[in-house]
Amino acid sequence: MNQKELKALKNEIMQEGAINVGYYTTIISKITELWPEMIAELAKEMALQGAEVATLENPLILNAFVTKAIEKMNYQEFKKLAPYFFGYIQTEEEFLAEPIQITRREYLRFQAEGEQLFEYKQPNISFEERVQALTSMLVPKENQAIAYHPTNDTIAILENSEETPEPFIDPGLINDLNDLTPYPTLVARRLIESSEALEAYYRKEMQKNSSKEEMKEELSEDELLAFVSVKIASTLFELDPQELLIINEVLQTETPGKELITHPATGYGQGDRWELAYLKEENSPSKRSDIAHYLEHEIAAYYRGSLAWLDIYDSKQEIEERYVVDRETLWSNPLDAVQALTGDPTYLSIEMYESIKKLNLPENDFNQFILMNNEERNRFLNKYNTNNLHIANPTQTQRR
């Protein structure tokens, strides 16, 4: 079963209960073997329910145990237990891996014909078959083959997966998608916590607008936070550009190199606009352009849904390396993006590899082609195609 089907099975178990979906009783020993702590957790929960538990029939207790255990499991853990439920459908590989019940007749046959029976070898599949297998099922997966590494025999695939990768959360990032606090308040809180100079500056600003009686009273942290939140905001979603200049001036005076950086980002829907904020520390090795790239192609990409997995598959069709990538970075020049992401200039675009393969070059020439940069490779292919065109279509002079 694929990930989507497994998730559907898990949801059914949690909604209907394990006993209604149906399971093999051996699941109990499997759960206790893999997660013994779950028995203690369930016993504690049942003890808190009091005398009612004692009247439960044994199957109901087991059902509660199995259902509760499934609720607490993540996807990878549930994957190990899914085959114990009646709704699980075995894949061909799982079916073939089932142990064979050997009779004496079968034993004698294996003994006599063993060499022929176990002679099977994994077939060598072509490059085209590998790409097709990685990018399509009975219906297209909509995965995209982006690049091929002729030396390592690996293929870079942009996955069209329901599982969205999580972005890297840099300590300097201020935005938090899981925090419902208004954006200006998030920024204000970080600034006050990170800079004594800014806290002092805004305390003075707040006192300017206070009466003599209010000035005698000590400002609470909540009052200061509320004041700064309003002071720095242009809207609920953007900071005041003029106030941003003042903030950075105070930060630079206090700690040279420290800076509040903001970056506007847009999504694909109408009104999908965000301002992202990042507090750069004085000892940060990141350049301003690097921070802007991180905010646009990791955080904004996550917000708008363009963050994806770029997986490197080996010759066995297994994932060798995995990268988080913004799909938008692959729109204009996907080969350059893969080479930059992997740090390996040997990768060829799929079209480039198919073109050079048709030329059937000697090994030395092919190796020279691999060592070229992308511009030189394209010139080589264009030159070769032009020469072939001249041969196939002789000039009027030659025909005379």
Side-chain angles (χ1 to χ4, degrees), residues 57-90:
E57 294 179 7
N58 189 50
L60 294 180
I61 295 176
L62 292 177
N63 174 54
F65 172 62
V66 175
T67 305
K68 202 71 180 176
I70 297 303
E71 284 178 6
K72 293 178 179 294
M73 289 177 190
N74 59 34
Y75 169 72
Q76 292 299 332
E77 291 172 334
F78 175 68
K79 195 175 178 181
K80 296 177 183 176
L81 287 185
Y84 291 84
F85 287 94
F86 293 168
Y88 183 81
I89 302 171
Q90 286 183 309

mmCIF file of all heavy atoms in Angstrom, residues 57-90:
data_model
loop_
_atom_site.group_PDB
_atom_site.id
_atom_site.type_symbol
_atom_site.label_atom_id
_atom_site.label_comp_id
_atom_site.label_asym_id
_atom_site.label_seq_id
_atom_site.Cartn_x
_atom_site.Cartn_y
_atom_site.Cartn_z
ATOM 1 N N GLU A 57 -15.414 -6.145 28.766
ATOM 2 C CA GLU A 57 -15.026 -7.470 28.304
ATOM 3 C C GLU A 57 -13.618 -7.409 27.724
ATOM 4 O O GLU A 57 -13.176 -6.372 27.256
ATOM 5 C CB GLU A 57 -16.007 -7.946 27.229
ATOM 6 C CG GLU A 57 -17.407 -8.167 27.761
ATOM 7 C CD GLU A 57 -18.367 -8.606 26.666
ATOM 8 O OE1 GLU A 57 -17.906 -8.861 25.529
ATOM 9 O OE2 GLU A 57 -19.549 -8.691 26.950
ATOM 10 N N ASN A 58 -12.942 -8.566 27.731
ATOM 11 C CA ASN A 58 -11.546 -8.613 27.266
ATOM 12 C C ASN A 58 -11.357 -8.052 25.859
ATOM 13 O O ASN A 58 -10.444 -7.264 25.630
ATOM 14 C CB ASN A 58 -11.012 -10.040 27.359
ATOM 15 C CG ASN A 58 -9.518 -10.094 27.100
ATOM 16 O OD1 ASN A 58 -8.770 -9.342 27.695
ATOM 17 N ND2 ASN A 58 -9.097 -10.969 26.211
ATOM 18 N N PRO A 59 -12.169 -8.395 24.850
ATOM 19 C CA PRO A 59 -11.979 -7.849 23.487
ATOM 20 C C PRO A 59 -12.049 -6.327 23.441
ATOM 21 O O PRO A 59 -11.359 -5.689 22.657
ATOM 22 C CB PRO A 59 -13.134 -8.474 22.693
ATOM 23 C CG PRO A 59 -13.471 -9.718 23.433
ATOM 24 C CD PRO A 59 -13.258 -9.394 24.874
ATOM 25 N N LEU A 60 -12.899 -5.741 24.306
ATOM 26 C CA LEU A 60 -13.018 -4.289 24.314
ATOM 27 C C LEU A 60 -11.767 -3.633 24.873
ATOM 28 O O LEU A 60 -11.343 -2.565 24.424
ATOM 29 C CB LEU A 60 -14.242 -3.860 25.134
ATOM 30 C CG LEU A 60 -15.602 -4.281 24.552
ATOM 31 C CD1 LEU A 60 -16.731 -3.814 25.449
ATOM 32 C CD2 LEU A 60 -15.782 -3.723 23.145
ATOM 33 N N ILE A 61 -11.173 -4.287 25.885
ATOM 34 C CA ILE A 61 -9.924 -3.767 26.434
ATOM 35 C C ILE A 61 -8.822 -3.834 25.382
ATOM 36 O O ILE A 61 -8.051 -2.898 25.198
ATOM 37 C CB ILE A 61 -9.508 -4.556 27.701
ATOM 38 C CG1 ILE A 61 -10.532 -4.331 28.815
ATOM 39 C CG2 ILE A 61 -8.122 -4.131 28.181
ATOM 40 C CD1 ILE A 61 -10.280 -5.124 30.060
ATOM 41 N N LEU A 62 -8.778 -4.963 24.673
ATOM 42 C CA LEU A 62 -7.769 -5.125 23.611
ATOM 43 C C LEU A 62 -7.992 -4.107 22.504
ATOM 44 O O LEU A 62 -7.045 -3.535 21.959
ATOM 45 C CB LEU A 62 -7.811 -6.550 23.042
ATOM 46 C CG LEU A 62 -7.364 -7.664 23.986
ATOM 47 C CD1 LEU A 62 -7.521 -9.024 23.309
ATOM 48 C CD2 LEU A 62 -5.920 -7.456 24.424
ATOM 49 N N ASN A 63 -9.270 -3.875 22.156
ATOM 50 C CA ASN A 63 -9.588 -2.891 21.127
ATOM 51 C C ASN A 63 -9.109 -1.497 21.542
ATOM 52 O O ASN A 63 -8.515 -0.756 20.750
ATOM 53 C CB ASN A 63 -11.099 -2.859 20.883
ATOM 54 C CG ASN A 63 -11.494 -1.746 19.921
ATOM 55 O OD1 ASN A 63 -10.976 -1.650 18.816
ATOM 56 N ND2 ASN A 63 -12.395 -0.881 20.365
ATOM 57 N N ALA A 64 -9.358 -1.141 22.816
ATOM 58 C CA ALA A 64 -8.919 0.160 23.316
ATOM 59 C C ALA A 64 -7.403 0.282 23.269
ATOM 60 O O ALA A 64 -6.853 1.321 22.907
ATOM 61 C CB ALA A 64 -9.419 0.360 24.756
ATOM 62 N N PHE A 65 -6.726 -0.818 23.605
ATOM 63 C CA PHE A 65 -5.263 -0.830 23.601
ATOM 64 C C PHE A 65 -4.712 -0.611 22.195
ATOM 65 O O PHE A 65 -3.853 0.243 21.966
ATOM 66 C CB PHE A 65 -4.756 -2.149 24.181
ATOM 67 C CG PHE A 65 -3.266 -2.335 24.054
ATOM 68 C CD1 PHE A 65 -2.390 -1.461 24.688
ATOM 69 C CD2 PHE A 65 -2.728 -3.366 23.299
ATOM 70 C CE1 PHE A 65 -1.024 -1.620 24.580
ATOM 71 C CE2 PHE A 65 -1.371 -3.533 23.178
ATOM 72 C CZ PHE A 65 -0.509 -2.657 23.823
ATOM 73 N N VAL A 66 -5.227 -1.389 21.234
ATOM 74 C CA VAL A 66 -4.728 -1.308 19.855
ATOM 75 C C VAL A 66 -5.058 0.060 19.249
ATOM 76 O O VAL A 66 -4.205 0.709 18.642
ATOM 77 C CB VAL A 66 -5.328 -2.428 18.972
ATOM 78 C CG1 VAL A 66 -4.899 -2.254 17.513
ATOM 79 C CG2 VAL A 66 -4.894 -3.793 19.484
ATOM 80 N N THR A 67 -6.295 0.529 19.426
ATOM 81 C CA THR A 67 -6.706 1.817 18.860
ATOM 82 C C THR A 67 -5.878 2.957 19.427
ATOM 83 O O THR A 67 -5.414 3.841 18.705
ATOM 84 C CB THR A 67 -8.201 2.078 19.138
ATOM 85 O OG1 THR A 67 -8.970 0.969 18.646
ATOM 86 C CG2 THR A 67 -8.668 3.360 18.446
ATOM 87 N N LYS A 68 -5.663 2.932 20.757
ATOM 88 C CA LYS A 68 -4.891 3.981 21.417
ATOM 89 C C LYS A 68 -3.443 3.970 20.928
ATOM 90 O O LYS A 68 -2.823 5.018 20.705
ATOM 91 C CB LYS A 68 -4.926 3.781 22.940
ATOM 92 C CG LYS A 68 -4.629 5.050 23.734
ATOM 93 C CD LYS A 68 -5.775 6.034 23.617
ATOM 94 C CE LYS A 68 -5.496 7.292 24.390
ATOM 95 N NZ LYS A 68 -6.541 8.299 24.210
ATOM 96 N N ALA A 69 -2.902 2.767 20.764
ATOM 97 C CA ALA A 69 -1.517 2.646 20.295
ATOM 98 C C ALA A 69 -1.364 3.234 18.897
ATOM 99 O O ALA A 69 -0.402 3.949 18.611
ATOM 100 C CB ALA A 69 -1.095 1.179 20.297
ATOM 101 N N ILE A 70 -2.337 2.954 18.022
ATOM 102 C CA ILE A 70 -2.285 3.466 16.643
ATOM 103 C C ILE A 70 -2.363 5.000 16.636
ATOM 104 O O ILE A 70 -1.677 5.667 15.863
ATOM 105 C CB ILE A 70 -3.429 2.874 15.787
ATOM 106 C CG1 ILE A 70 -3.282 1.352 15.671
ATOM 107 C CG2 ILE A 70 -3.466 3.510 14.402
ATOM 108 C CD1 ILE A 70 -1.965 0.872 15.097
ATOM 109 N N GLU A 71 -3.194 5.566 17.520
ATOM 110 C CA GLU A 71 -3.325 7.023 17.592
ATOM 111 C C GLU A 71 -1.996 7.700 17.911
ATOM 112 O O GLU A 71 -1.697 8.784 17.422
ATOM 113 C CB GLU A 71 -4.341 7.409 18.681
ATOM 114 C CG GLU A 71 -5.787 7.182 18.257
ATOM 115 C CD GLU A 71 -6.758 7.530 19.374
ATOM 116 O OE1 GLU A 71 -6.294 8.054 20.411
ATOM 117 O OE2 GLU A 71 -7.965 7.272 19.217
ATOM 118 N N LYS A 72 -1.192 7.041 18.750
ATOM 119 C CA LYS A 72 0.061 7.643 19.210
ATOM 120 C C LYS A 72 1.207 7.465 18.218
ATOM 121 O O LYS A 72 2.266 8.062 18.372
ATOM 122 C CB LYS A 72 0.472 7.039 20.561
ATOM 123 C CG LYS A 72 -0.478 7.401 21.703
ATOM 124 C CD LYS A 72 -0.051 6.738 22.995
ATOM 125 C CE LYS A 72 -0.983 7.108 24.141
ATOM 126 N NZ LYS A 72 -0.910 8.522 24.497
ATOM 127 N N MET A 73 1.014 6.619 17.217
ATOM 128 C CA MET A 73 2.110 6.305 16.297
ATOM 129 C C MET A 73 2.214 7.316 15.170
ATOM 130 O O MET A 73 1.204 7.826 14.690
ATOM 131 C CB MET A 73 1.908 4.915 15.684
ATOM 132 C CG MET A 73 2.112 3.785 16.667
ATOM 133 S SD MET A 73 1.770 2.206 15.884
ATOM 134 C CE MET A 73 1.796 1.151 17.327
ATOM 135 N N ASN A 74 3.455 7.569 14.719
ATOM 136 C CA ASN A 74 3.657 8.355 13.507
ATOM 137 C C ASN A 74 3.549 7.446 12.290
ATOM 138 O O ASN A 74 3.342 6.227 12.430
ATOM 139 C CB ASN A 74 5.011 9.087 13.534
ATOM 140 C CG ASN A 74 6.205 8.139 13.665
ATOM 141 O OD1 ASN A 74 6.174 7.013 13.136
ATOM 142 N ND2 ASN A 74 7.248 8.588 14.337
ATOM 143 N N TYR A 75 3.717 8.007 11.101
ATOM 144 C CA TYR A 75 3.529 7.238 9.862
ATOM 145 C C TYR A 75 4.470 6.044 9.766
ATOM 146 O O TYR A 75 4.059 4.920 9.448
ATOM 147 C CB TYR A 75 3.724 8.158 8.646
ATOM 148 C CG TYR A 75 3.805 7.414 7.334
ATOM 149 C CD1 TYR A 75 2.680 6.833 6.768
ATOM 150 C CD2 TYR A 75 5.030 7.278 6.661
ATOM 151 C CE1 TYR A 75 2.748 6.136 5.580
ATOM 152 C CE2 TYR A 75 5.104 6.583 5.478
ATOM 153 C CZ TYR A 75 3.963 6.022 4.926
ATOM 154 O OH TYR A 75 4.047 5.327 3.746
ATOM 155 N N GLN A 76 5.777 6.258 10.068
ATOM 156 C CA GLN A 76 6.758 5.182 9.934
ATOM 157 C C GLN A 76 6.473 4.041 10.901
ATOM 158 O O GLN A 76 6.645 2.863 10.571
ATOM 159 C CB GLN A 76 8.181 5.730 10.159
ATOM 160 C CG GLN A 76 8.669 6.683 9.076
ATOM 161 C CD GLN A 76 8.724 6.034 7.703
ATOM 162 O OE1 GLN A 76 8.910 4.826 7.591
ATOM 163 N NE2 GLN A 76 8.554 6.835 6.657
ATOM 164 N N GLU A 77 6.018 4.374 12.122
ATOM 165 C CA GLU A 77 5.700 3.339 13.112
ATOM 166 C C GLU A 77 4.465 2.550 12.692
ATOM 167 O O GLU A 77 4.437 1.318 12.766
ATOM 168 C CB GLU A 77 5.486 3.987 14.482
ATOM 169 C CG GLU A 77 6.773 4.554 15.087
ATOM 170 C CD GLU A 77 6.515 5.364 16.340
ATOM 171 O OE1 GLU A 77 5.401 5.903 16.495
ATOM 172 O OE2 GLU A 77 7.438 5.476 17.161
ATOM 173 N N PHE A 78 3.431 3.268 12.208
ATOM 174 C CA PHE A 78 2.204 2.600 11.793
ATOM 175 C C PHE A 78 2.448 1.666 10.604
ATOM 176 O O PHE A 78 1.817 0.623 10.482
ATOM 177 C CB PHE A 78 1.136 3.634 11.432
ATOM 178 C CG PHE A 78 -0.126 3.013 10.889
ATOM 179 C CD1 PHE A 78 -0.947 2.255 11.705
ATOM 180 C CD2 PHE A 78 -0.475 3.176 9.551
ATOM 181 C CE1 PHE A 78 -2.104 1.669 11.203
ATOM 182 C CE2 PHE A 78 -1.625 2.593 9.051
ATOM 183 C CZ PHE A 78 -2.444 1.832 9.878
ATOM 184 N N LYS A 79 3.400 2.057 9.756
ATOM 185 C CA LYS A 79 3.721 1.258 8.568
ATOM 186 C C LYS A 79 4.114 -0.176 8.957
ATOM 187 O O LYS A 79 3.829 -1.127 8.248
ATOM 188 C CB LYS A 79 4.865 1.949 7.808
ATOM 189 C CG LYS A 79 5.069 1.464 6.391
ATOM 190 C CD LYS A 79 6.131 2.316 5.717
ATOM 191 C CE LYS A 79 6.393 1.826 4.304
ATOM 192 N NZ LYS A 79 7.439 2.629 3.641
ATOM 193 N N LYS A 80 4.779 -0.309 10.134
ATOM 194 C CA LYS A 80 5.219 -1.632 10.602
ATOM 195 C C LYS A 80 4.041 -2.493 11.048
ATOM 196 O O LYS A 80 4.091 -3.715 10.995
ATOM 197 C CB LYS A 80 6.207 -1.477 11.756
ATOM 198 C CG LYS A 80 7.503 -0.774 11.384
ATOM 199 C CD LYS A 80 8.396 -0.587 12.604
ATOM 200 C CE LYS A 80 9.661 0.195 12.246
ATOM 201 N NZ LYS A 80 10.497 0.472 13.441
ATOM 202 N N LEU A 81 2.954 -1.848 11.515
ATOM 203 C CA LEU A 81 1.811 -2.596 12.044
ATOM 204 C C LEU A 81 0.677 -2.769 11.051
ATOM 205 O O LEU A 81 -0.199 -3.604 11.252
ATOM 206 C CB LEU A 81 1.270 -1.883 13.294
ATOM 207 C CG LEU A 81 2.108 -1.987 14.571
ATOM 208 C CD1 LEU A 81 1.365 -1.343 15.722
ATOM 209 C CD2 LEU A 81 2.426 -3.428 14.928
ATOM 210 N N ALA A 82 0.677 -1.969 9.974
ATOM 211 C CA ALA A 82 -0.434 -2.000 9.010
ATOM 212 C C ALA A 82 -0.757 -3.406 8.495
ATOM 213 O O ALA A 82 -1.938 -3.756 8.349
ATOM 214 C CB ALA A 82 -0.129 -1.051 7.847
ATOM 215 N N PRO A 83 0.253 -4.270 8.212
ATOM 216 C CA PRO A 83 -0.069 -5.610 7.684
ATOM 217 C C PRO A 83 -0.891 -6.483 8.635
ATOM 218 O O PRO A 83 -1.423 -7.512 8.215
ATOM 219 C CB PRO A 83 1.323 -6.232 7.443
ATOM 220 C CG PRO A 83 2.228 -5.064 7.257
ATOM 221 C CD PRO A 83 1.703 -4.023 8.181
ATOM 222 N N TYR A 84 -1.023 -6.091 9.912
ATOM 223 C CA TYR A 84 -1.780 -6.894 10.872
ATOM 224 C C TYR A 84 -3.276 -6.586 10.839
ATOM 225 O O TYR A 84 -4.051 -7.220 11.552
ATOM 226 C CB TYR A 84 -1.237 -6.661 12.298
ATOM 227 C CG TYR A 84 0.149 -7.232 12.511
ATOM 228 C CD1 TYR A 84 1.279 -6.522 12.147
ATOM 229 C CD2 TYR A 84 0.318 -8.505 13.053
ATOM 230 C CE1 TYR A 84 2.554 -7.042 12.326
ATOM 231 C CE2 TYR A 84 1.595 -9.034 13.252
ATOM 232 C CZ TYR A 84 2.711 -8.298 12.875
ATOM 233 O OH TYR A 84 3.968 -8.818 13.062
ATOM 234 N N PHE A 85 -3.690 -5.589 10.011
ATOM 235 C CA PHE A 85 -5.103 -5.236 9.913
ATOM 236 C C PHE A 85 -5.708 -5.853 8.655
ATOM 237 O O PHE A 85 -5.047 -6.001 7.626
ATOM 238 C CB PHE A 85 -5.270 -3.710 9.886
ATOM 239 C CG PHE A 85 -5.015 -3.065 11.217
ATOM 240 C CD1 PHE A 85 -3.750 -2.579 11.519
ATOM 241 C CD2 PHE A 85 -6.014 -2.985 12.165
ATOM 242 C CE1 PHE A 85 -3.498 -2.002 12.759
ATOM 243 C CE2 PHE A 85 -5.776 -2.413 13.393
ATOM 244 C CZ PHE A 85 -4.519 -1.924 13.699
ATOM 245 N N PHE A 86 -7.024 -6.187 8.756
ATOM 246 C CA PHE A 86 -7.698 -6.855 7.652
ATOM 247 C C PHE A 86 -7.772 -5.983 6.404
ATOM 248 O O PHE A 86 -7.839 -6.479 5.295
ATOM 249 C CB PHE A 86 -9.123 -7.251 8.065
ATOM 250 C CG PHE A 86 -9.164 -8.322 9.135
ATOM 251 C CD1 PHE A 86 -10.343 -8.618 9.780
ATOM 252 C CD2 PHE A 86 -8.018 -9.027 9.489
ATOM 253 C CE1 PHE A 86 -10.393 -9.597 10.763
ATOM 254 C CE2 PHE A 86 -8.059 -9.996 10.472
ATOM 255 C CZ PHE A 86 -9.245 -10.284 11.128
ATOM 256 N N GLY A 87 -7.748 -4.656 6.577
ATOM 257 C CA GLY A 87 -7.855 -3.751 5.432
ATOM 258 C C GLY A 87 -6.562 -3.568 4.667
ATOM 259 O O GLY A 87 -6.527 -2.875 3.651
ATOM 260 N N TYR A 88 -5.477 -4.221 5.133
ATOM 261 C CA TYR A 88 -4.168 -4.023 4.484
ATOM 262 C C TYR A 88 -4.058 -4.905 3.240
ATOM 263 O O TYR A 88 -4.403 -6.087 3.265
ATOM 264 C CB TYR A 88 -3.042 -4.370 5.466
ATOM 265 C CG TYR A 88 -1.657 -4.125 4.914
ATOM 266 C CD1 TYR A 88 -1.107 -2.854 4.909
ATOM 267 C CD2 TYR A 88 -0.908 -5.160 4.373
ATOM 268 C CE1 TYR A 88 0.155 -2.614 4.399
ATOM 269 C CE2 TYR A 88 0.351 -4.944 3.855
ATOM 270 C CZ TYR A 88 0.874 -3.667 3.878
ATOM 271 O OH TYR A 88 2.131 -3.441 3.365
ATOM 272 N N ILE A 89 -3.578 -4.297 2.154
ATOM 273 C CA ILE A 89 -3.379 -5.035 0.899
ATOM 274 C C ILE A 89 -1.885 -5.179 0.651
ATOM 275 O O ILE A 89 -1.159 -4.187 0.574
ATOM 276 C CB ILE A 89 -4.026 -4.292 -0.297
ATOM 277 C CG1 ILE A 89 -5.520 -4.099 -0.030
ATOM 278 C CG2 ILE A 89 -3.802 -5.053 -1.590
ATOM 279 C CD1 ILE A 89 -6.206 -3.200 -1.041
ATOM 280 N N GLN A 90 -1.428 -6.422 0.526
ATOM 281 C CA GLN A 90 -0.006 -6.655 0.319
ATOM 282 C C GLN A 90 0.438 -6.218 -1.072
ATOM 283 O O GLN A 90 -0.297 -6.353 -2.046
ATOM 284 C CB GLN A 90 0.320 -8.149 0.473
ATOM 285 C CG GLN A 90 0.305 -8.649 1.911
ATOM 286 C CD GLN A 90 0.703 -10.119 1.962
ATOM 287 O OE1 GLN A 90 0.157 -10.930 1.240
ATOM 288 N NE2 GLN A 90 1.652 -10.434 2.807
#
